[in-house]
Amino acid sequence: GHEIQAVDAVYFDSEQVDFENPDAGGPALGKWAGYVFMEVNHGADDQAAFPSLVADAPTVWTSDHRQRGCAGVYLSLVFSEKLFPNQHIPNITFDVRGRQVYDPRSATTAYSNNAALVISDFLTNTRFGLGAVYADEIDEAALIAAANICEEAVTLPDDSQENRYTINGVFAFGEEYG
């Protein structure tokens, strides 16, 4: 439902499918070479339709199907009994760096899972959020303080560290939400 920063990895039934650059797509590498092709649209407002999908299915998908403002992936799979036994289409999942949010600490817009920045983005987003006016309704000093707290390092039981507060989401398409 929005633009993303990048596709970092693709998995078929939890097995990573390698691409030279998963964020750009193209033909798969390794055992999937010749059987999997991918195109990625990040969801820019001015993006074109998937060129390969337009070429592969011109009566179904045209250059007018641009999906502006929505990220998407076009995957083309060629059947192989070895790779897709029993004509099984794999469960396909992605690692994605999602929505780009504004960070007043650096005056930049980039992907972040910082909870304060994500909430601020939702509050001010006019497309799918609450449409609050940043200059009038967001206390920038409080946002900066909250963003800094979110990024405080917390030590885990295994002595690794992670940021104190993050927001990450997953959408399972086979499930009903109600």
Side-chain angles (χ1 to χ4, degrees):
H2 57 72
E3 187 172 1
I4 63 168
Q5 183 160 330
V7 173
D8 291 324
V10 181
Y11 304 90
F12 286 4
D13 292 330
S14 301
E15 179 183 342
Q16 187 165 346
V17 178
D18 292 321
F19 294 86
E20 190 169 305
N21 179 352
D23 190 42
L29 305 172
K31 78 176 194 178
W32 304 99
Y35 297 98
V36 178
F37 175 82
M38 179 174 72
E39 282 182 358
V40 177
N41 270 348
H42 290 102
D45 286 335
D46 62 350
Q47 74 186 4
F50 292 109
S52 294
L53 183 53
V54 171
D56 291 347
T59 61
V60 179
W61 202 267
T62 72
S63 59
D64 291 333
H65 294 101
R66 295 173 57 185
Q67 299 177 297
R68 291 179 273 187
C70 293
V73 171
Y74 168 57
L75 280 168
S76 176
L77 310 177
V78 174
F79 178 71
S80 161
E81 182 64 41
K82 180 181 173 188
L83 296 174
F84 309 110
N86 303 317
Q87 298 183 4
H88 164 74
I89 296 175
N91 180 37
I92 302 169
T93 57
F94 301 87
D95 286 340
V96 176
R97 276 180 281 145
R99 183 158 171 76
Q100 300 178 57
V101 298
Y102 177 69
D103 187 340
R105 298 171 299 175
S106 61
T108 59
T109 300
Y111 168 75
S112 175
N113 64 358
N114 180 301
L117 301 179
V118 171
I119 292 168
S120 173
D121 180 70
F122 177 75
L123 291 172
T124 59
N125 189 283
T126 57
R127 197 177 275 176
F128 60 78
L130 300 179
V133 177
Y134 185 91
D136 298 335
E137 299 179 85
I138 301 295
D139 180 337
E140 191 168 78
L143 174 59
I144 290 170
N148 289 336
I149 290 168
C150 289
E151 290 180 356
E152 290 176 349
V154 175
T155 303
L156 303 175
D158 66 359
D159 289 328
S160 64
Q161 292 189 328
E162 68 182 15
N163 288 346
R164 183 171 299 279
Y165 303 112
T166 62
I167 292 181
N168 302 285
V170 174
F171 298 96
F173 291 106
E175 307 210 6
E176 292 186 27
Y177 298 94

